[in-house]
Amino acid sequence: LLATQSAGHVDILKLDIEGAEREVFSEGSAEWIEKVGLIIVELHDHLRPGCRAALDAAVRSSSFSRRHQGEHLVLVKQGAAESGMPGQT
């Protein structure tokens, strides 16, 4: 999406992709994750094992705080609230 839309940044990325998280957060994802301020994801390890592990590996070197909100995992990049991002209080 970043490449096709000539965007330099994504404010909010919400994913509910029924097990394809493993592919989305696979090798090479750390580069584009740095350009996202807030990620809301529903992980489906029960459908495809390895989804959470792929996400954890992808954000390992990033500065995201995490919280659970219902069935979603919410990751907020450190400093996102200061730049006008929603999700921080």
Side-chain angles (χ1 to χ4, degrees), residues 64-77:
F64 284 97
S65 64
R66 296 175 181 223
R67 70 173 188 257
H68 288 278
Q69 195 159 354
E71 59 191 12
H72 297 102
L73 177 61
V74 179
L75 296 98
V76 181
K77 181 166 284 180

Side-chain angles (χ1 to χ4, degrees), residues 23-85:
E23 285 76 21
V24 170
F25 294 114
S26 65
E27 187 176 324
S29 62
E31 181 180 325
W32 63 261
I33 285 174
E34 288 301 318
K35 299 174 182 177
V36 179
L38 180 119
I39 300 171
I40 303 168
V41 62
E42 183 179 340
L43 296 169
H44 296 89
D45 275 299
H46 62 286
L47 297 175
R48 297 211 44 224
C51 294
R52 180 174 300 276
L55 172 66
D56 290 344
V59 299
R60 184 171 296 129
S61 63
S62 300
S63 56
F64 284 97
S65 64
R66 296 175 181 223
R67 70 173 188 257
H68 288 278
Q69 195 159 354
E71 59 191 12
H72 297 102
L73 177 61
V74 179
L75 296 98
V76 181
K77 181 166 284 180
Q78 189 173 33
E82 293 82 22
S83 65
M85 288 294 306

Side-chain angles (χ1 to χ4, degrees), residues 10-24:
V10 172
D11 293 330
I12 300 171
L13 175 65
K14 183 176 185 296
L15 297 170
D16 184 0
I17 50 179
E18 306 302 322
E21 302 90 0
R22 193 171 71 186
E23 285 76 21
V24 170

Side-chain angles (χ1 to χ4, degrees), residues 1-12:
L1 287 174
L2 289 167
T4 61
Q5 299 301 313
S6 300
H9 183 80
V10 172
D11 293 330
I12 300 171

